[in-house]
Amino acid sequence: MSSGRPGRAVPRDAGTRLRTGRPGALWAVPALGFFALFALAPLAIVAYLSFTSWNGLGAPEWVGWANWSRLLSDRDVREAAWHSLLLTVGTWAFQTPAALLLGVWSAGRGRHRAVLSAVFLLPLLLSSAAVALVWKSLLDPNFGLVAEVAPVLGFDDASWFSTPEGAFSALLFVLGWQFIPFHALLYQGAARQVPEVLHQAAALDGAGRARRFWSITLPQLRNTVVASSVLMVVGSLTFFDTVLILTGGGPGTSTTVVPLLVYRNGFEGFEMGYASAIAFALVLVSTAVSLLLVRLTGFGRMSATSARDGL
Amino acid sequence: MNGRRHRGPGIGGIAAVGVLGWLLVVAVPVYAVVVASLRRREDYLDVGPLSLPERLTPENYLDALRSGFLGYLMNSAVVAAAVVALVLALAVPAAYAVVRSGTRLSAHAFRLFLLGLAIPAQAVIVPVFLLISQLRLYDTLLAVVLPTAAFCLPVCVLILTAAMRDVPEEMYEAMALDGSGPARTLVRLVLPLTRHGTSTAAVYAALQAWNGFLFPLVLTQSESRRVLPLGLYDFQDEFGTDVPGLLAAVVLSLLPALVACLFARRAVVAGLAGGGGR
Amino acid sequence: MGVGEVLSRRAFLGRAAVGAFGLLTLPACGPGGPGHGVGPGALDVWVWQDAADKVQQAAVDRFNASGAGRARLNRVPGDGYEDKLRVAIGSSKAPDVFFNWGGASVKEYADAGELLDLTPMLQADTAFGKAFLPSVLQAGMVGDRYYGIPMRGTQPVLVFYNKAVFADAGVSPPETWDDVTALIAIFTEQGVTPFALAGADAWAELMWLEYLVDRFGGPGVFERVKNGDVRGWRDPAVLRAAKAVVDLIERGAFGHSFSAVGYNAGGASALLSRGRAAMQLMGSWEYANQLAADPEFARGRLGWTTFPTVTDGRGDPDAVVGNPNNFWSVTAGVRDPEAAFAFLRTAAEDAYAADLVGQGAVPTTTDAASFLDRSADPAFARFQYDLVQRASTFTVSWDQALPSAQATGMLTLIRKLFAAQLAPAELVEALTALPRG
């Protein structure tokens, strides 16, 4: 990941004078130190703890690879990993098209669009806990909104949300309700930057609106799609509070995702060593996934202008 | 992706239907929540959430305010402000160094931050707790601020780096020819030109802090240190069957953000637009 | 926290963080360091936050007015109580006195040297020890040492029912398992959920297994498991109980959406009070919660009875399951043990017992019977008191009696059983294979 415009392109004779204008690497040290202390050091400790047995009291006891071999044979971990994967894929498939359409639509001109965009932003202002609590009460099968709506839609009652598929769909929907506005905002910003000239030219060629969306807007938004997808994927691998509050991982364990499993093992079962092993595995996987995305798409080099260089 | 190639009801029609559908999806719950928060608890359980209540009562709001809500709000605001300040103070110089110093160290630093994108907070919550208690910060607002800020850094550095790369090379050179040092260049040139990126980063950090649930859950304890998301979560126990009370608290929690958004909306939208990909 | 532990934790932190961040140079929090408690001389008292914590608040107020010391009550929300406690004990913010579920629930803390042994205090003040029912005081022991003082009412698990719903259907509360199956058929026919079940909370589902295993196989089955012999799970009573649970679910005893109903969020209790459900198996605190949420229902239409008897079960029909009581324990780091002891003594005072009774609770002090007439509902208080007095055994809730790792694993398995992800025979196998932490 080289920087966009390497400074070494500056002519040599100007070099000595210009170097005075350049910040030294020291400028990055405070941020690095802070990040190392509160994010990387804890990660190192997690790596260490994953080789110990510790209940949160007294000193951790070294147990070698025991946690790791248990992790590999643990059906609950496999199941939670599968749920995390499903949630990630489902989130992407649901949120990206919806956010794209909303964003591109609201980038258009018009008074009503501005008002509606403001309405769409509402969920963005609620904390995850608030969103989950609101939907928990709306989806309450006995006293909630769904209890009232279900008969209208031709269901006997609202017990569908208590099935594994129903609970999972509810989770996908609520996460979408909460995060689609954010991604739509990204797309709106990017869509506004698409040069009007391109649209006019295409219109002259007789391209309809749909055609222009596919052949002009979408390619221009390519980078935003990448950025938003990276955030979505990494986010959905690490969702936690929404799941905890909304479904508690149930019914049974049918919506238990990996982060919730870490919480259960670590803060309910107090198997801090084993929880650390699961947590570290999660970090490895999500890092690999995000690096892969970054590598494949050149996200690291991205900037608003290189977006137009077609990378 | 749905490959609608055929000439159906035009993209405009589809978009309009989609937008209307989404409007319903947002508006109906919001309506249900607001109405429910104005109902008496007894009524809520007996009549569904959609019917118009005959009696509206502000009682739930008063109850929420009485149960320490304003204190939670203050805590959340303090945490959000501190996180934003800390993140900007750290991320701006870091991004500046990444973009302009041209040293290998800064390139490595950038990569390290990229790695940090994928560290989920709950994966490291136990060591973070140990660290915080070693620092004697357990159950202080600072205990929430520090890790929250650390976990915002990667994304914010990314946003700011992208923004600073957009400043044309010639302008940097012009500043250097004027004999500006790095600090002056940053203040005079970079900051004014990357206002959008900065506000995007600030908004992102503020949202993270405002939403934070896990760090406050584990790192604070007393009622006087409770932040809004935790306060709401605890209302569940506190109010028992009192859904309207809970929803009133949710609506209250929305108001400050709504006000902030009305003031800052232009900056936010412009910032997101100016942030390019982010 | 003990000095040895401080050193080891510092050493481990130093090792783990590669010493790079100066953690070694940080002062570790020792016993009674600054920040312990809530200021000079004030005891930090933690209690589980619920409708009944007014009683503890009143005790703290009286204690502060008495001049014996100063205390501040910290009401900790139930959902995070246990993790909060684990995280805080051993930190500089450890409570001085805290609420818990008795010996088994604090065993890990006692083993780690984090608790103050109350045995010497009880030996020195025999009158204080005699103020409590011996069987309940014993439930606060770890090994042969006392670590807890009973501080709430006894909490047997009971069958609560809605009298109006029963009157409408012209039936009476179940006494035998056959009654239960008959009632399920009648109520489902009428569109009423027979039993409200807070299926989102595994501990509420667990209550069914606890009682069924006790009725089928007697208290010895779980006793074996509790004492560390996991083969106790293979007792036929466990399999039979799991099969009975599956049978209940298939008959529609809990309705179709119980997994989305919580207890703390008031879901299950609201179903009962609104007459959408006929019964609920729940700890006796249900009464206080109903009283807070819907006084009219609690005083007028809320009924209660014992768990039904089963045919050819080895258990005693009088045996009870639940929590004998909750307890105050004192952390080892308490700076002013004398003040803490003075505070513990409030749990034996008449005013305290009277307050508990006013909440519908039944104190486990030896003279509790004399207060019962002052109860908000003397009939309910009397019923509970007699039940506990008569009980041949009082089995502590399984999730409180087992080490936390095992308890958490067990709750997950029970979630799966109720969600039909696990067959009864698989449950038994999985229970024996649980890690014991």
Side-chain angles (χ1 to χ4, degrees), chain C residues 4 6 21 35 38 47 82 95 115 142 151 157 171 182 211 221 252 299 301 324 331-332 343 364 372 388 394:
Chain C
V6 172
F21 310 110
V38 291
V47 72
E82 283 166 275
L115 297 187
V142 177
M151 47 70 72
V157 174
V171 290
Y211 254 124
V221 179
R299 291 181 201 282
R301 302 190 300 281
T331 53
F343 177 74
T364 54
L372 296 184
V388 174
F394 195 148

Side-chain angles (χ1 to χ4, degrees), chain A residues 189 193 304, chain B residues 163 166 196-197 200 269-276 278:
Chain A
Q193 290 193 317
Chain B
D166 282 351
H196 292 327
T200 309
V269 173
L272 285 166
R278 272 301 317 238

Side-chain angles (χ1 to χ4, degrees), chain A residues 248-307:
Chain A
T253 52
S254 54
T255 55
T256 300
V257 287
V258 177
L260 185 64
L261 205 62
V262 172
Y263 181 80
R264 285 254 151 88
N265 277 291
F267 279 92
E268 284 174 14
F270 300 115
E271 292 187 279
M272 302 284 192
Y274 186 50
S276 296
I278 304 175
F280 198 70
L282 175 66
V283 172
L284 288 179
V285 170
S286 50
T287 305
V289 168
S290 66
L291 280 183
L292 198 69
L293 283 172
V294 166
R295 200 34 69 85
L296 286 177
T297 55
F299 181 45
R301 286 197 302 278
M302 223 172 54
S303 70
T305 44
S306 65

Side-chain angles (χ1 to χ4, degrees), chain B residues 196-236:
Chain B
H196 292 327
T198 315
S199 57
T200 309
V203 168
Y204 177 83
L207 279 176
Q208 291 291 315
W210 186 253
N211 272 321
F213 177 77
L214 186 67
F215 285 136
L217 178 76
V218 176
L219 302 175
T220 66
Q221 161 52 53
S222 333
E223 217 160 335
S224 59
R225 307 266 189 284
R226 218 165 271 175
V227 293
L228 215 45
L230 270 195
L232 290 174
Y233 188 58
D234 298 342
F235 276 153
Q236 276 197 116

Side-chain angles (χ1 to χ4, degrees), chain C residues 3-359:
Chain C
V3 173
E5 199 217 323
V6 172
L7 286 174
S8 62
R9 182 171 297 181
R10 271 175 67 194
F12 129 67
L13 266 178
R15 254 208 321 276
V18 210
F21 310 110
L23 279 178
L24 278 171
T25 61
L26 289 170
C29 40
H36 191 96
V38 291
L43 294 166
D44 191 15
V45 180
W46 283 20
V47 72
W48 171 278
Q49 170 182 306
D50 67 3
D53 60 24
K54 298 198 253 321
V55 178
Q56 284 73 45
Q57 186 60 58
V60 165
D61 293 343
R62 276 196 303 274
F63 175 71
N64 288 341
S66 73
R70 287 197 315 107
R72 200 193 61 170
L73 192 69
N74 204 335
R75 301 158 67 239
V76 182
D79 264 351
Y81 185 84
E82 283 166 275
D83 21 317
K84 276 277 160 67
L85 190 67
R86 176 74 55 130
V87 155
I89 284 191
S91 86
S92 60
K93 291 279 182 168
D96 295 295
V97 178
F98 67 96
F99 165 106
N100 59 69
W101 291 265
S105 74
V106 295
K107 183 174 182 302
E108 286 168 86
Y109 299 120
D111 292 346
E114 298 282 6
L115 297 187
L116 196 66
D117 182 356
L118 303 176
T119 316
M121 173 222 178
L122 287 163
Q123 282 165 346
D125 186 354
T126 47
F128 178 56
K130 286 204 177 85
F132 301 99
L133 296 173
S135 62
V136 177
L137 196 59
Q138 271 163 22
M141 294 177 88
V142 177
D144 59 351
R145 317 296 290 171
Y146 289 94
Y147 283 100
I149 299 298
M151 47 70 72
R152 271 198 175 176
T154 185
Q155 298 142 30
V157 174
L158 312 167
V159 174
F160 288 89
Y161 64 96
N162 185 322
K163 289 179 185 168
V165 172
F166 272 77
D168 288 347
V171 290
S172 49
E175 288 171 17
T176 65
W177 201 247
D178 291 340
D179 294 348
V180 171
T181 38
L183 285 172
I184 291 172
I186 292 168
F187 286 128
T188 45
E189 184 69 28
Q190 297 184 341
V192 174
T193 304
F195 288 96
L197 174 64
D201 295 308
W203 52 262
E205 295 176 330
L206 174 68
M207 289 173 171
W208 283 93
L209 276 176
E210 286 167 348
Y211 254 124
L212 286 167
V213 167
D214 196 283
R215 288 285 186 271
F216 290 145
V221 179
F222 181 68
E223 194 66 24
R224 268 180 80 185
V225 175
K226 196 177 104 177
N227 295 335
D229 181 2
V230 292
R231 285 169 309 181
W233 293 122
R234 295 194 194 275
D235 190 289
V238 178
L239 184 64
R240 195 179 157 191
K243 281 180 172 162
V245 162
V246 172
D247 179 58
L248 284 172
I249 295 170
E250 284 170 354
R251 288 172 190 268
F254 308 121
H256 298 295
S257 51
F258 60 84
S259 70
V261 176
Y263 185 74
N264 279 359
S269 302
L271 288 175
L272 183 68
S273 68
R274 300 286 136 179
R276 297 210 203 173
M279 298 171 269
Q280 181 181 202
L281 183 68
M282 189 41 69
S284 60
W285 57 81
E286 170 74 359
Y287 182 90
N289 287 338
Q290 291 285 11
L291 196 63
D294 194 345
E296 188 212 351
F297 167 73
R299 291 181 201 282
R301 302 190 300 281
L302 178 64
W304 51 82
T305 180
T306 52
F307 194 84
T309 58
V310 298
T311 38
D312 61 51
R314 293 221 312 268
D316 180 347
D318 281 339
V320 175
V321 163
N323 300 322
N325 202 335
N326 296 113
F327 296 78
W328 289 128
S329 292
V330 182
T331 53
V334 63
R335 250 176 324 156
D336 190 350
E338 286 311 314
F341 294 154
F343 177 74
L344 294 182
R345 288 191 182 92
T346 61
E349 286 170 359
D350 288 357
Y352 190 75
D355 281 350
L356 284 172
V357 167
Q359 279 286 331

Side-chain angles (χ1 to χ4, degrees), chain A residues 82-92 168 171-172 175 236 239 243 257:
Chain A
W82 172 239
H83 294 156
S84 278
L85 180 73
L86 276 182
L87 191 72
T88 306
V89 173
T91 292
W92 192 89
F168 203 84
L171 201 55
L172 270 183
L175 288 169
S236 34
F239 282 140
V243 184
V257 287

